[in-house]
Amino acid sequence: MLELKEGVRHPVDFILNGKPARGLAEPRMLLSDFLRQELGCAEIHVGCEHGVCGACTVLIDGIPARSCLTLAVQTAGRTVETVRSLAAEDGALSDLQEAFRRHHALQCGYCTPGILMSAEQFLRERADPSEQEVREMLSGHICRCTGYVGIVEAILETARSRAGAR
Amino acid sequence: MKPKPFTYLRPADINEALQALARIGEDARILAGGQSLLPMMNFRLAQARALIDISRLAPLAYIRKTAGEIEIGAATTQAQLLAWPQLGDATPLLSAALPHVGHFQTRSRGTVCGSIAHSDPASELPLCLATLEGKVVLRSSKGERVLPAAEFQTGMLATARRPDEVVVAVRFPERKQGAGYAFMEMAQRHGDFAICAVAAVVSGKTTRLGVGGVADKPTVREWSGLPNGELDDALNDFAWELGGTDDHHATAAYRRELVRRLGRRAIEEAAKCSS
């Protein structure tokens, strides 16, 4: 049985945005803090720290998860994707990110990295979502700027344009 | 908003988990999806000297149909159950209730057994277990026992689980031929904790209604051969007996009104689906 003692920093090896990464974490360290403080991922936005606001959502093994409700040590051997994985190497935004810009789907941008990760995985699973389905998915995120209208439109437009490209 | 220090244990199989639990006892907590336990630990409402992580134990991640029951293992997530193709046929009530459990982003990790072990009085899955008269399978290093929902659920965040036991599976009865099922809830936003949730089963002349979010645990009432004109009175009596209290989400009077109105709606919906 693997036993990681309290108060001791243990190495955690995992894949971060497609590349091997390593950091040190006490068992009690949350993945959100680990990514920000150990690995410098400033794109992880920490809001409520109890799983309600959705700002810190990342993909773990391709599935959306709250990084504040995941222990860093739990991600050993797993893959973690943050919003940095969406844009191209040269910084060109993804189609979803472009749609967010076009529809003014963000203002302060604090909730955006989490929403983009949820939406990206949601669109991989559902090629032709209804507005209702998009809104239900978004119920796991809190945005206090936009009123969600632009976010819903951006996601639906991306779904349509991806369907057209297939 | 960070948990207190604890030791993290990742057992290779369930027996290692049970041995660790027997050794550490009450100071250890089982970590499966962590979607209830970790917020409580971040708030320091819950503490543990050790967390025993069973989320990677593949043999515990299953959904199995056995003799009239659906058995769900301790590592099965709510999202996996929701995506199970037979869910709607096998247990229509769960199929209706699961979309209300947390959010897309928490169902992906939150487990079915974990929600039932956590036993929040406003949670949907404990309510379904109580209404359908499901069972909880508890295992310790000494053996296994199976408790009916009514014996397992003892109060607010409280169950009959002993400190050395793990909820290894839960069992929901398969849909009854001819019975109709309905689930409804009122929450401030979709996916928030229910102010009041109701689960109805109508089978022949028998009507069962489970209510969550009002009393300190899911509470079920069954009526047999109730004339339609008496349903409102029956619901009103039930609403008062539940003894809800005022809190910052809603008043006790509002909750009683929800029991009366949502209760009636759910029973009518279930009756429509029954034959």
Side-chain angles (χ1 to χ4, degrees):
Chain A
M1 176 160 42
L2 175 77
E3 178 166 350
L4 304 177
K5 290 264 185 237
E6 70 169 72
V8 178
R9 281 153 55 88
H10 305 272
V12 179
D13 289 288
F14 66 114
I15 305 292
L16 176 62
N17 293 333
K19 296 190 185 100
R22 162 177 273 214
L24 294 172
E26 272 187 55
R28 72 174 185 137
M29 190 174 224
L30 304 174
L31 177 61
S32 45
D33 290 335
F34 178 67
L35 291 172
R36 279 185 69 88
Q37 295 164 17
E38 280 291 307
L39 294 152
C41 298
E43 72 270 30
I44 303 297
H45 291 178
V46 177
C48 70
E49 292 197 307
H50 64 288
V52 172
C53 78
C56 71
T57 302
V58 297
L59 302 187
I60 301 176
D61 287 349
I63 295 169
R66 310 296 206 214
S67 60
C68 72
L69 297 187
T70 305
L71 302 173
V73 294
Q74 284 185 290
T75 56
R78 304 232 183 266
T79 65
V80 175
E81 292 164 76
T82 74
V83 74
R84 262 172 218 264
S85 67
L86 296 185
E89 285 278 317
D90 63 2
L93 297 180
S94 74
D95 55 349
L96 180 65
Q97 288 170 311
E98 283 289 358
F100 265 59
R101 174 186 272 177
R102 249 191 328 277
H103 289 276
H104 302 286
L106 66 154
Q107 186 177 309
C108 83
Y110 202 81
C111 66
T112 314
I115 293 180
L116 284 170
M117 296 320 283
S118 276
E120 181 58 41
Q121 197 270 345
F122 175 79
L123 289 174
R124 284 179 206 163
E125 258 185 20
R126 252 169 267 234
D128 183 25
S130 67
E131 180 180 332
Q132 181 60 29
E133 286 174 322
V134 171
R135 287 189 176 274
E136 276 190 28
M137 178 277 286
L138 275 176
S139 76
H141 293 275
I142 292 177
C143 170
R144 296 287 84 143
C145 300
T146 64
Y148 303 98
V149 174
I151 301 176
V152 172
E153 281 174 5
I155 294 169
L156 287 173
E157 186 191 89
T158 306
R160 282 193 299 270
S161 72
R162 286 185 188 181
R166 264 193 298 272
Chain B
M1 294 294 288
K2 320 286 177 196
K4 279 194 171 178
F6 54 80
T7 291
Y8 172 85
L9 302 171
R10 191 188 298 146
D13 56 42
I14 183 67
N15 289 329
E16 279 191 1
L18 296 174
Q19 282 157 18
L21 198 55
R23 179 163 50 86
I24 310 165
E26 278 182 38
D27 292 336
R29 295 293 295 263
I30 296 291
L31 173 65
Q35 302 301 290
S36 300
L37 180 61
L38 290 181
M40 300 261 296
M41 291 183 70
N42 286 358
F43 275 126
R44 304 206 175 183
L45 293 170
Q47 287 166 24
R49 252 186 55 217
L51 288 190
I52 303 169
D53 184 359
I54 61 166
S55 64
R56 295 196 193 199
L57 298 183
L60 294 183
Y62 65 86
I63 302 165
R64 201 180 286 148
K65 257 171 128 170
T66 54
E69 288 180 326
I70 317 300
E71 182 172 306
I72 299 152
T76 305
T77 64
Q78 295 147 10
Q80 285 165 342
L81 183 59
L82 190 54
W84 186 46
Q86 299 173 60
L87 183 68
D89 273 343
T91 57
L93 186 66
L94 278 184
S95 176
L98 268 170
H100 296 278
V101 178
H103 305 283
F104 174 68
Q105 301 85 350
T106 60
R107 291 194 294 268
S108 61
R109 291 177 67 85
T111 62
V112 176
C113 288
S115 172
I116 284 164
H118 182 60
S119 212
D120 189 297
S123 286
E124 293 83 1
L125 290 169
L127 172 59
C128 291
L129 193 79
T131 307
L132 296 175
E133 300 182 280
K135 295 178 196 133
V136 178
V137 184
L138 294 153
R139 200 184 298 166
S140 75
S141 54
K142 290 179 232 133
E144 192 172 280
R145 59 185 184 133
V146 180
L147 288 185
E151 279 178 48
F152 177 76
Q153 296 170 336
T154 56
M156 163 121 37
L157 308 181
T159 69
R161 185 187 75 84
R162 297 177 186 139
D164 65 341
E165 286 177 322
V166 176
V167 174
V168 287
V170 292
R171 293 177 187 159
F172 288 92
E174 208 177 336
R175 90 182 300 165
K176 240 169 58 190
Q177 202 65 38
Y181 301 84
F183 185 94
M184 292 174 187
E185 74 172 39
M186 180 64 82
Q188 289 187 324
R189 297 180 313 155
H190 182 91
D192 279 3
F193 279 109
I195 295 169
C196 175
V198 294
V201 185
V202 174
S203 176
K205 285 190 172 356
T206 308
T207 299
R208 274 176 78 77
L209 183 73
V211 174
V214 181
D216 67 341
K217 59 177 179 177
T219 310
V220 186
R221 187 60 41 98
E222 187 172 302
W223 299 280
S224 207
L226 189 71
N228 195 36
E230 287 172 29
L231 180 58
D232 284 335
D233 282 345
L235 285 170
N236 185 49
D237 291 346
F238 189 23
W240 280 96
E241 283 160 32
L242 284 165
T245 49
D246 295 350
D247 64 20
H248 64 288
H249 295 299
T251 62
Y254 182 65
R255 288 197 160 90
R256 282 193 296 275
E257 191 63 6
L258 285 176
V259 174
R260 289 187 284 254
R261 302 230 179 170
L262 272 187
R264 175 173 260 284
R265 249 186 253 173
I267 288 168
E268 285 171 353
E269 173 80 24
K272 249 193 277 169
C273 309
S274 70
S275 58

